[in-house]
């Protein structure tokens, strides 16, 4: 056991002494030591209940003959950090999470890990750590919250954000907005639509690092607690059989994850996180691979914000195993990929039948014959840009309009709320990339304001930053190279014509090469927005979005 280096023999007597002082028995010390990485806090709705999952995982480890030792992980709530300087820390926190788990696991010689995240950057950060450490590990997330109800209709976090735009447009009162806020998030768990947190929790399951139904089993359910116990038991089996993350995180596993991502039209942020996890596993996921898989993968679901269904509906319809089984009918799933169950993907999804074809369409009758996400390229995005095509109104799939240029999210939001954006405009928000932000802020406020004001069928938004998984409309993010890395987006001027052609995957600034050359000669890169502290260091090391925004 790895932990014997820390606790075994005469050399380990000081360690054993400290463990005796904490109340551990000799029998417990002699067993494998399993780190329980708990991201519980009283800040994030998706994390407030994770102590329950951690307790269940510890029970599972103990039942299987191991000794659980819990330690914490930080977490940023994107919903709370949204719209102010705090959002600059969200993506950057992913690296802190991975680094801190690496630090704890190696410093204390753990034999295995049970990783307990639930939201946004915490999920990929933990899987990145698992890949880097390559010791037996199982991820068990906290589960999604249920959708709220208001006036007989489902409501969720998107309903509230778009309600702000509706309120600012004078269509509802402040009392109505507060009523929406009180009824949209009825309990704990990751926000109920297929936003970034739930997208990544589902893909954790697809990658093979989480147990079946990790992505859809509800928070505070008996099933979720059972998953916690099984995760604790499974990590002991992985240890016994020497099955490690890099045995699971193969290219086939990532192809499966991209396929399911396209089939369920997940958050555009998955195109940041999957490459970052792959990077830790020693491989590159080029955006062309996403494009290639998207072109042959049918879109089978439309969950909020793309449609009316929520995670609870997906779970009752059969969850991710049923969706993968449906995709396997067209040979789109690599069934030999290994998972933390000790079985292959094919064994896990066998006989998992879709229970509701309204929620999960058949491969014969999909929503569309291609995936829900699209990679766009052109002179404005030489290294690529990402859009959730399934959430774009048909009227906006092809669009040409004048650029309205803003050098920060705040400037754009102010202009939107003041009514300064007109039908047909293309809102360009730049210097919000990984380096320029720094931190590549997730911008739900401008997109939700546009949608709430009823302009989502008339106005497009482009950014070198990123959009929330809760975004709908012609919101194109991850434009690479970013403005701070000399991307063409930094040369766009007010009134320039921009052409968007999502079906043909084109994003073009309609300005001549001669004019662009003149602008490049005059261009002066702005000073970094932040130069001190963690973000100052992050800005110096981070790469563009097309690489997954990994650190050099």
């Amino acid at each position: 056991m790895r932990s014997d280096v820390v606790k075994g023999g005469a050399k380990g007597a000081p360690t054993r002494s400290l463990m005796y002082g904490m109340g551990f028995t000799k029998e417990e010390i002699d067993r494998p030591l399993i780190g329980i990485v708990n991201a519980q806090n009283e800040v994030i709705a998706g994390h407030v209940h994770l102590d329950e999952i951690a307790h269940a995982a510890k029970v599972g480890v103990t039942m299987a003959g191991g000794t659980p030792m819990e330690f914490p992980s930080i977490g940023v709530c994107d919903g709370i950090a949204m719209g102010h300087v705090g959002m600059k820390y969200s993506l950057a926190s992913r690296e802190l999470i991975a680094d801190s788990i690496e630090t704890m696991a190696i410093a204390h010689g753990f034999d295995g890990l049970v990783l307990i995240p639930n939201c946004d950057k915490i999920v990929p950060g933990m899987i990145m750590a698992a890949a880097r450490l390559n010791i037996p590990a199982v991820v068990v997330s906290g589960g999604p919250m249920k959708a709220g109800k208001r006036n007989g209709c489902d409501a969720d976090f998107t309903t509230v954000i778009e309600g702000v735009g509706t309120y600012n447009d004078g269509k509802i009162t402040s009392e109505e907005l507060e009523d929406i806020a009180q009824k949209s998030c009825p309990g704990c768990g990751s926000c109920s639509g297929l936003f970034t947190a739930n997208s990544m929790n589902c893909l954790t399951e697809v990658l093979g690092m989480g147990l079946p139904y990790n992505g859809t089993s509800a928070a505070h359910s008996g099933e979720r607690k059972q998953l916690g116990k099984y995760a604790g038991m499974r990590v002991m089996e992985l240890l016994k059989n020497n099955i490690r993350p890099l045995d699971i995180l193969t290219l086939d596993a990532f192809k499966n994850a991209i396929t399911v991502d396209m089939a369920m039209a997940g958050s555009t942020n998955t195109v940041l996180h999957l490459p970052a996890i792959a990077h830790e596993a020693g491989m590159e996921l080029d955006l062309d691979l996403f494009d290639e898989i998207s072109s042959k993968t049918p879109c089978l679901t439309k969950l909020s914000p793309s449609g009316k269904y929520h995670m609870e509906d997906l779970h009752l319809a059969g969850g991710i195993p049923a969706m993968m089984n449906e995709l396997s009918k067209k040979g789109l799933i690599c069934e030999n990929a290994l998972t933390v169950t000790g079985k292959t993907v094919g064994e896990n999804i066998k006989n998992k039948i879709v229970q509701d074809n309204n929620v999960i369409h058949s491969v014969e009758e999909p929503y569309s014959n291609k995936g829900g996400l699209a990679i766009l390229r052109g002179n404005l995005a030489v290294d690529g840009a990402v859009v959730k095509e399934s959430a774009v109104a048909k009227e906006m799939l092809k669009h040409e309009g004048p650029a309205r240029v803003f050098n920060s999210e705040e400037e754009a939001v102010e202009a939107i709320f003041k009514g300064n954006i007109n039908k047909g405009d293309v809102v360009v928000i730049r210097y919000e990339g990984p380096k320029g932000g720094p931190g590549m802020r997730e911008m739900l406020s401008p997109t939700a304001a546009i949608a709430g004001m009823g302009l989502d069928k008339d106005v497009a938004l482009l950014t070198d930053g990123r959009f929330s998984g809760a975004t709908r409309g012609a919101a194109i993010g991850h434009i690479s190279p970013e403005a701070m890395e000399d991307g063409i987006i930094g040369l766009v001027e007010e009134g320039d014509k921009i052409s968007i052609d999502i079906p043909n995957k084109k994003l073009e600034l309609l300005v001549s090469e001669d004019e662009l050359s003149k602008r490049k000669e005059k261009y002066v890169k702005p000073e970094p927005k932040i130069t001190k502290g963690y973000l100052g260091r992050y800005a110096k090391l981070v790469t563009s979005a097309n690489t997954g925004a990994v650190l050099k």
Side-chain angles (χ1 to χ4, degrees), residues 112-153:
L113 298 172
V114 176
L115 302 154
I116 308 173
N118 208 29
C119 292
D120 295 290
K121 313 312 153 311
I122 301 93
V123 180
M126 287 195 178
I127 304 175
M128 288 164 67
R132 187 185 303 174
L133 290 163
N134 200 31
I135 61 175
V138 179
V139 179
V140 55
S141 304
M145 72 169 65
K146 292 187 176 182
K149 293 287 183 183
R150 183 173 184 271
N151 298 336
C153 298

Side-chain angles (χ1 to χ4, degrees), residues 41-52:
N41 59 51
E42 295 181 352
V43 179
I44 307 176
H47 285 218
V48 71
H49 67 301
L50 293 188
D51 277 350
E52 297 176 16

Side-chain angles (χ1 to χ4, degrees), residues 166-185:
T166 307
Y167 167 75
N168 279 290
D169 203 33
K171 295 176 181 176
I172 60 173
T173 65
S174 60
E175 290 79 13
E176 288 175 302
L177 178 60
E178 193 62 22
D179 187 55
I180 293 170
Q182 289 176 350
K183 293 176 178 176
S184 294
C185 297

Side-chain angles (χ1 to χ4, degrees), residues 185-197:
C185 297
C188 68
S190 47
C191 294
S192 57
L194 192 60
F195 314 142
T196 306

